[in-house]
Amino acid sequence: MQDLQVQQNNTGVKPQHSIVLNERELKRVSDFIGTEVGIQLPSTKRTLVESRLSKRLRILGFDDFKSYLDHTLESSDGALEKLQLIDVLTTNKTSFYREPDHFDYLVKHAIPDLENGARKELKLWTAGCSTGEEAYTLSIELNEVASQKKNIAFNILATDISHSCLSKASRGIYTDRQAESIPLELRKKYLLRSRNSEESLVQMGPELRHRILFKSLNLMDSHFDLPSKMDIIFCRNVMIYFNNNLREELVARFESNLVKGGYLFVGHSESLNGIKTTLNQVAPMVYQKN
Ligand SMILES: C[S@@+](CC[C@H](N)C(=O)[O-])C[C@H]1O[C@@H](n2cnc3c(N)ncnc32)[C@H](O)[C@@H]1O
């Protein structure tokens, strides 16, 4: 450690001193994030919060967390930075065809069942869509269904609290690597290649994008302002960060926004066991409204 310090000084590089987030400051952050977003940030997350927020301090030129938090949480100029703070503290990991058995269940069971119930214009919602991969996966699968059954139409609402995720999602541009989990024949059919051949980027094609409306929505809002009731709701890998009370409230709000016979898909580590709900489990992490 000492050697490194000497080396840095010899080369004239100023050692970067790290700014420490103390327990009181962590509590200010976790109270705000807990109330606004629902995400729990216990003391075990201190290092993670410290490292993610340090970048914001550096960008804005604050020397300590107290001044940063005073500015962001207490001052009237803090509104925009509050969005940045939420952005850096939410976990946005996602991928195309994540937890693929859900898409299988959707096509083989949920859609035929809704069709039998005379639902011809399906409304889907991905709640906590992150950078859009889940919404585009749904759009691919539904486009495939609609190309075989001409009497089915669909549209997808994709919402998140993170503004940077939503803007990436609505651009619909991904690296080849990210798109690899889309089956090859579907990539060929629906994806456009970037004109710049040096960049290995792809864009989601118009027939995928036109079906999706990306919108900012905080799942903590006590009533969602949805255009209509939904046939299918995907809320996967979002509630994992919420406490049981919040999860129960959210599941109840999802239920009241589902049509009769509609489906809720949750992430594979987010079983509704222990939560009061009248939704019926019909497959692993798939629930249906009676
Ligand atoms: C881990 S990603 C999951 C993405 C996708 N559903 C999947 O399973 O791949 C969780 C997303 O939930 C969003 N999120 C967390 N709390 C939220 C809230 N209160 N309202 C809306 N979105 C929220 C985050 O911004 C993040 O993009």
Side-chain angles (χ1 to χ4, degrees), residues 33 36-39 86-87 90-96 98-99 126-134 159-163 165 216-221 234-242 250 267 270:
I33 289 289
E36 281 295 304
V37 189
I39 296 176
I86 290 171
D87 251 42
T90 46
T91 300
N92 309 118
K93 183 180 175 304
T94 185
S95 55
F96 294 101
R98 184 178 191 183
E99 300 175 3
T126 132
C129 65
S130 186
T131 40
E133 287 85 333
E134 188 172 77
T159 64
D160 204 281
I161 198 170
S162 160
H163 287 245
C165 281
S216 164
L217 183 147
N218 186 350
L219 292 169
M220 295 287 284
D221 287 347
F234 270 58
C235 183
R236 305 187 309 161
N237 308 300
V238 179
M239 288 188 280
I240 192 171
Y241 306 105
F242 297 178
L250 191 53
E270 296 172 307

Side-chain angles (χ1 to χ4, degrees), residues 22-243:
N22 66 32
E23 282 298 325
R24 188 182 309 160
E25 290 152 355
L26 174 67
K27 184 159 179 346
R28 285 178 78 186
V29 179
S30 69
D31 283 353
F32 169 73
I33 289 289
T35 316
E36 281 295 304
V37 189
I39 296 176
Q40 308 300 305
L41 292 173
S43 333
T44 48
K45 300 271 181 186
R46 200 188 64 77
T47 319
L48 177 128
V49 175
E50 184 180 279
S51 103
R52 290 194 183 178
L53 282 190
S54 293
K55 293 184 193 127
R56 294 305 308 158
L57 264 69
R58 253 178 259 135
I59 290 168
L60 297 180
F62 286 104
D63 288 332
D64 58 81
F65 279 102
K66 183 181 178 306
S67 330
Y68 170 77
L69 293 175
D70 287 348
H71 161 78
T72 308
L73 304 180
E74 316 293 345
S75 88
S76 51
D77 306 334
L80 277 180
E81 185 54 26
K82 276 190 182 124
L83 296 179
Q84 295 287 348
L85 187 148
I86 290 171
D87 251 42
V88 295
L89 291 179
T90 46
T91 300
N92 309 118
K93 183 180 175 304
T94 185
S95 55
F96 294 101
Y97 285 88
R98 184 178 191 183
E99 300 175 3
D101 45 326
H102 275 167
F103 300 100
D104 237 40
Y105 187 89
L106 176 76
V107 172
K108 291 190 183 137
H109 302 283
I111 294 177
D113 178 50
L114 287 161
E115 256 187 295
N116 285 340
R119 302 287 305 167
K120 299 290 175 220
E121 213 185 304
L122 299 177
K123 295 185 175 14
L124 292 89
W125 176 22
T126 132
C129 65
S130 186
T131 40
E133 287 85 333
E134 188 172 77
Y136 289 114
T137 307
L138 287 172
S139 191
I140 294 174
E141 288 300 312
L142 269 290
N143 260 285
E144 285 294 285
V145 171
S147 68
Q148 287 153 18
K149 303 176 182 180
K150 300 288 177 216
N151 59 343
I152 279 242
F154 71 95
N155 57 60
I156 300 167
L157 173 68
T159 64
D160 204 281
I161 198 170
S162 160
H163 287 245
S164 63
C165 281
L166 286 170
S167 87
K168 181 159 195 311
S170 44
R171 279 197 301 276
I173 298 176
Y174 301 90
T175 62
D176 272 350
R177 188 94 188 252
Q178 289 169 316
E180 258 170 19
S181 48
I182 304 175
L184 184 61
E185 72 277 16
L186 296 175
R187 261 184 271 161
K188 285 186 186 155
K189 188 165 172 186
Y190 292 110
L191 273 49
L192 308 172
R193 177 139 299 284
S194 152
R195 276 197 215 121
N196 180 347
S197 56
E198 277 166 29
E199 284 178 328
S200 43
L201 297 177
V202 287
Q203 183 169 34
M204 299 296 119
E207 58 281 72
L208 301 182
R209 302 173 68 195
H210 290 163
R211 301 295 191 158
I212 308 174
L213 173 67
F214 287 104
K215 243 182 130 209
S216 164
L217 183 147
N218 186 350
L219 292 169
M220 295 287 284
D221 287 347
S222 54
H223 55 269
F224 312 125
D225 191 13
L226 298 183
S228 59
K229 290 208 175 199
M230 297 289 155
D231 294 281
I232 287 156
I233 300 177
F234 270 58
C235 183
R236 305 187 309 161
N237 308 300
V238 179
M239 288 188 280
I240 192 171
Y241 306 105
F242 297 178
N243 67 29

